[in-house]
């Protein structure tokens, strides 16, 4: 690991574990909802989506891989503050992902696809940002780096995650434009990708 890990405490690791369990729960629920829907997607686009999902995963993993130095007193202010920050990030990530996947309903899928009777989703968190699920994944990446004491790894993790995310968005926007045409262009002109009113 090119960056020396910072000392951490058990509260941050406990918050990360609880948060990950919650996120896996909402992910499984979304997967069950999305599985019921027939989709229209060509295999080439599907394979490309999977490649960029893997790149995103590598970016997230870069924030957590490596030694974890658990030397902070678990009741110290830094350990408790770190635990609170990690818990807030994980709760926000799970809530955002859950809200987005529920809003999408049967339109949600792991890879880019459209349904024959699908509609362009512009409500819920999609009324504020076009990619709330990727924002949720970024929050998880940050929580992982903080909990594991790998803030230095963000110089690698963030660019790798950004490349995977940018390429996934490129594929997804192609699918959405093909399916919804001008309606998607108007939506994209009105709603930013990640941060309301900014970018």
């Amino acid at each position: 690991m090119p960056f020396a890990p910072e000392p951490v405490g058990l509260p941050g690791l406990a918050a990360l574990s609880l948060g990950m369990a919650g996120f896996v729960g909402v992910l499984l629920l979304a997967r069950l909802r999305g599985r019921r829907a027939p989709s229209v997607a060509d295999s080439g686009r599907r394979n490309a989506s999977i490649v960029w999902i893997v790149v995103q995963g590598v970016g997230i993993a870069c924030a957590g891989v490596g030694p974890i130095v658990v030397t902070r007193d678990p009741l110290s202010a830094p350990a408790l503050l770190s635990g609170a920050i990690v818990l807030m990030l994980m709760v926000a990530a799970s809530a955002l992902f859950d809200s987005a996947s529920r809003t999408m309903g049967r339109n949600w899928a792991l890879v880019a696809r459209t349904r024959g009777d699908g509609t362009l989703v512009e409500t819920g968190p999609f009324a504020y940002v076009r990619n709330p699920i990727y924002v949720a994944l970024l929050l998880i990446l940050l929580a992982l780096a903080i909990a594991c004491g790998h803030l230095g790894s963000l110089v690698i993790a963030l660019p790798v995650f950004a490349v995977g995310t940018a390429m996934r968005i490129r594929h997804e926007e192609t699918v959405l434009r093909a399916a919804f045409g001008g309606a998607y262009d108007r939506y994209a002109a009105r709603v930013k990708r990640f941060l309301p009113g900014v970018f």
Side-chain angles (χ1 to χ4, degrees):
M1 183 173 173
F3 304 98
E6 299 167 11
V8 297
L10 290 176
L13 294 171
L16 181 67
S17 299
L18 287 171
M20 284 293 189
F23 183 78
V24 167
V26 297
L27 177 62
L28 291 174
L29 288 173
R31 183 85 174 126
L32 288 173
R33 285 191 300 270
R35 200 177 254 179
R36 300 181 197 130
S39 64
V40 179
D42 64 65
S43 60
R45 184 176 289 139
R46 180 183 177 86
N47 291 339
S49 289
I50 290 170
V51 168
W52 298 118
I53 289 168
V54 170
V55 173
Q56 278 184 310
V58 169
I60 293 169
C62 284
V65 171
I68 300 173
V69 182
V70 188
T71 56
R72 278 190 176 156
D73 176 355
L75 298 179
S76 68
L80 293 173
L81 178 61
S82 175
I85 291 170
V86 169
L87 186 60
M88 285 189 296
L89 288 169
M90 291 304 300
V91 167
S94 295
L96 185 56
F97 180 91
D98 187 55
S99 176
S101 64
R102 285 180 186 278
T103 301
M104 291 181 77
R106 299 193 323 158
N107 290 314
W108 184 84
L110 191 60
V111 297
R113 71 171 191 179
T114 54
R115 296 175 57 231
D117 61 346
T119 57
L120 180 60
V121 178
E122 301 180 60
T123 58
F126 296 94
Y128 306 100
V129 292
R130 300 198 318 258
N131 299 285
I133 289 176
Y134 298 151
V135 174
L137 293 179
L138 176 61
L139 296 178
I140 291 172
L141 185 155
L142 296 174
L144 190 59
I146 293 167
C148 296
H150 296 165
L151 291 176
S153 296
L154 291 177
V155 299
I156 296 171
L158 287 174
V160 172
F161 178 79
V163 167
T165 300
M167 296 309 293
R168 282 191 77 181
I169 288 171
R170 188 172 125 182
H171 283 282
E172 290 169 359
E173 289 183 348
T174 299
V175 171
L176 292 168
R177 280 195 172 90
F180 303 112
Y184 181 75
D185 289 331
R186 288 187 294 276
Y187 169 65
R190 190 177 73 252
V191 178
K192 300 296 185 184
R193 284 190 175 108
F194 303 109
L195 192 60
V198 180
F199 74 99

